[in-house]
Amino acid sequence: MKPILIAISALVAGVLLSVLAPQIPQSARGLLTSTGLVTASGVDARATPAASEAGHGASGEAEGTLRMDAARIETARISLATVEAGTLSRHLVVPGVIVPDRNTIWRIAAKVVGTVAELRKGLGDEVRPGEVLAILDSREVAEAKSEYVGAQVNFGLQKTLFEREETLWQRRIQAEQQYLKARNAFTEAQLRVHLARQKLSALGVSDQEVSGLSMQTVNGLQRYEIRSPGGGRVVERIVDLGAPVGGEGQAKELFVIVDLTSVWVELTVSTADLAEIKEGNRVRISAGGTDRRSEGKVVFISPLLNQDTRSARVIAVIDNKDHGWRPGSFVNAEVAIEEARVDIRVPRAALQTMEGSPVLFVRTETGFERRKVVVGKEDDQFVEIAFGVDAGEVIAVSNTFLLKAELGKAEAEHSH
């Protein structure tokens, strides 16, 4: 009996408010409007007990809420995430091909005429910087080393004579002319040593090997070591043991070494999209049919266009320490052409549409609460939320269609 009396009283109050609403002062009308008792046109029907009961389910839950415990959430494979700030990126997808980094390709050539006496490295071998790849027998090198050794011997002799003449001249025992002659011979011998050393350096003989040359190492002067200027892997070995190299009509290159710890991606970008790409833009690389992904950045944009394809050559560099990216492979590249920092960002999969409005499902102590939101900017993966949720709240980000279906079913049952 009491609930019926309450309902009748509320109905009468509602009628009176409807009649008197135009006469309510503006300040009081604003207060009633904020509490939901009066709308802009009159009384809000939801303020009456009858409407309030209609907005609750059989379990007493408020409209837009759904009971669901942690075990049921886990069974439904509904993932949760905390709402936070982030970056939205707009991408341009273009085709590309993996090529070696041109800065890490070493073409090892013979700077002298000779014959291959030893091959220390073969196809596929790993090479460290400065490691010996091959040894040649070269008459040219033997002559240069002999010249250097001879210059060293002469320098030592002239130095001794100069020091002796200098001592005698200082004691006024020797004439100045004799002293000056000895000093000139010493200077000339010093210059010959310097020139002989420069000649060996030009032939590619290492400073360490030159420093070890003396009268005691006259044997094997024809041996010429070919060392690698950088690290990597031997991808080509052009000569065989005993082959003549360096001469007219003979092989000049011996090895090709490539370091594939980083590779280039040559992107083909049309003239319509070229203006949106800048050097330094982030690039995400993927290969069709695999789940392999890598990130890099654009390092070069050619100022020239290909006359046939009317496209520009764009180079991106990516890390390849595991050697998973092989030169020659075709890939897809997503170039980030615009980035914007937003205060609240959620995954696109977290959003659902109900009653024509985008909604999120916010985690509560008993389950989830449907929350209408206002969306802003968006990219391929995320959407900015301009209004509706706060940073730090926990929302459902996967299988949210299950929550939408469950809530829709519950509200349909409650309306009957």
Side-chain angles (χ1 to χ4, degrees):
M1 189 67 177
K2 187 176 181 179
I4 296 175
L5 292 174
I6 293 174
I8 294 173
S9 299
L11 182 60
V12 172
V15 172
L16 290 174
L17 285 171
S18 299
V19 174
L20 299 175
Q23 303 176 13
I24 297 175
Q26 186 65 28
S27 58
R29 185 178 181 84
L31 177 61
L32 292 174
T33 302
S34 65
T35 59
L37 293 175
V38 176
T39 64
S41 59
V43 179
D44 188 349
R46 291 175 297 176
T48 66
S52 179
E53 288 182 8
H56 289 70
S59 60
E61 288 296 314
E63 181 181 2
T65 61
L66 184 65
R67 280 187 176 273
M68 185 174 287
D69 57 25
R72 192 176 170 195
I73 292 174
E74 184 177 358
T75 302
R77 297 182 179 180
I78 298 172
S79 302
L80 304 176
T82 303
V83 175
E84 57 187 4
T87 301
L88 298 178
S89 300
R90 190 162 62 91
H91 296 88
L92 177 67
V93 180
V94 295
V97 61
I98 303 294
V99 298
D101 185 337
R102 304 296 298 182
N103 296 318
T104 57
I105 297 178
W106 315 99
R107 297 187 179 276
I108 313 301
K111 297 182 179 180
V112 300
V113 178
T115 303
V116 179
E118 291 184 32
L119 288 172
R120 299 279 183 89
K121 294 294 180 179
L123 196 64
D125 289 347
E126 295 289 338
V127 178
R128 297 188 304 274
E131 194 170 3
V132 176
L133 303 174
I135 295 178
L136 305 182
D137 282 341
S138 172
R139 181 185 301 175
E140 184 180 1
V141 172
E143 291 175 353
K145 288 181 178 179
S146 299
E147 183 180 340
Y148 176 75
V149 173
Q152 273 189 314
V153 173
N154 183 56
F155 171 74
L157 175 61
Q158 296 301 326
K159 180 180 180 181
T160 302
L161 292 174
F162 168 68
E163 291 174 348
R164 176 178 175 275
E165 294 294 334
E166 185 179 32
T167 301
L168 293 174
W169 177 71
Q170 289 174 349
R171 294 178 181 178
R172 298 296 186 267
I173 299 174
Q174 186 67 274
E176 183 179 6
Q177 183 178 2
Q178 192 68 23
Y179 161 71
L180 293 175
K181 184 178 179 181
R183 188 179 68 175
N184 183 59
F186 170 69
T187 303
E188 185 178 344
Q190 192 176 31
L191 179 60
R192 287 183 180 277
V193 171
H194 179 71
L195 293 175
R197 190 181 187 100
Q198 290 296 313
K199 186 175 181 179
L200 288 173
S201 179
L203 292 175
V205 180
S206 65
D207 291 340
Q208 182 180 1
E209 188 177 355
V210 171
S211 300
L213 291 175
S214 65
M215 285 296 295
Q216 287 72 35
T217 58
V218 292
N219 293 327
L221 292 180
Q222 78 283 0
R223 309 286 278 182
Y224 175 73
E225 294 179 345
I226 295 181
R227 297 177 178 271
S228 174
R233 192 176 185 189
V234 178
V235 295
E236 286 188 58
R237 197 192 76 180
I238 303 169
V239 298
D240 298 321
L241 195 63
V245 296
E248 187 70 28
Q250 298 173 352
K252 298 296 188 297
E253 285 188 2
L254 281 68
F255 298 90
V256 177
I257 297 172
V258 179
D259 182 3
L260 294 177
T261 54
S262 68
V263 292
W264 283 356
V265 186
E266 286 195 0
L267 309 177
T268 302
V269 182
S270 67
T271 53
D273 298 323
L274 191 59
E276 295 191 280
I277 297 182
K278 302 291 185 295
E279 292 182 2
N281 285 157
R282 291 188 303 105
V283 180
R284 184 168 55 193
I285 306 299
S286 61
T290 69
D291 58 355
R292 182 172 177 79
R293 301 287 186 275
S294 285
E295 289 196 0
K297 66 177 182 178
V298 175
V299 296
F300 173 73
I301 301 175
S302 175
L304 306 177
L305 295 178
N306 186 301
Q307 294 183 354
D308 298 326
T309 63
R310 304 304 299 168
S311 61
R313 183 169 175 251
V314 178
I315 301 295
V317 61
I318 61 173
D319 182 77
N320 190 38
K321 287 185 172 59
D322 62 353
H323 292 183
W325 294 109
R326 296 180 178 273
S329 303
F330 292 98
V331 296
N332 292 321
E334 294 182 16
V335 184
I337 56 178
E338 182 183 0
E339 293 188 348
R341 186 74 178 174
V342 295
D343 294 332
I344 297 179
R345 183 190 73 169
V346 300
R348 297 177 69 91
L351 285 167
Q352 292 292 335
T353 301
M354 297 187 73
E355 299 177 357
S357 300
V359 299
L360 292 173
F361 294 95
V362 181
R363 184 76 166 97
T364 64
E365 293 182 359
T366 59
F368 291 97
E369 173 193 353
R370 179 186 64 192
R371 191 84 60 81
K372 290 184 178 181
V373 295
V374 177
V375 300
K377 301 176 182 178
E378 58 184 70
D379 62 15
D380 299 335
Q381 294 180 311
F382 297 96
V383 177
E384 176 192 13
I385 302 300
F387 180 79
V389 293
D390 297 322
E393 291 189 285
V394 178
I395 62 171
V397 295
S398 68
N399 288 339
T400 53
F401 65 91
L402 297 176
L403 298 175
K404 175 182 177 180
E406 187 89 6
L407 187 59
K409 179 182 177 182
E411 291 181 346
E413 292 176 350
H414 296 160
S415 64
H416 288 15

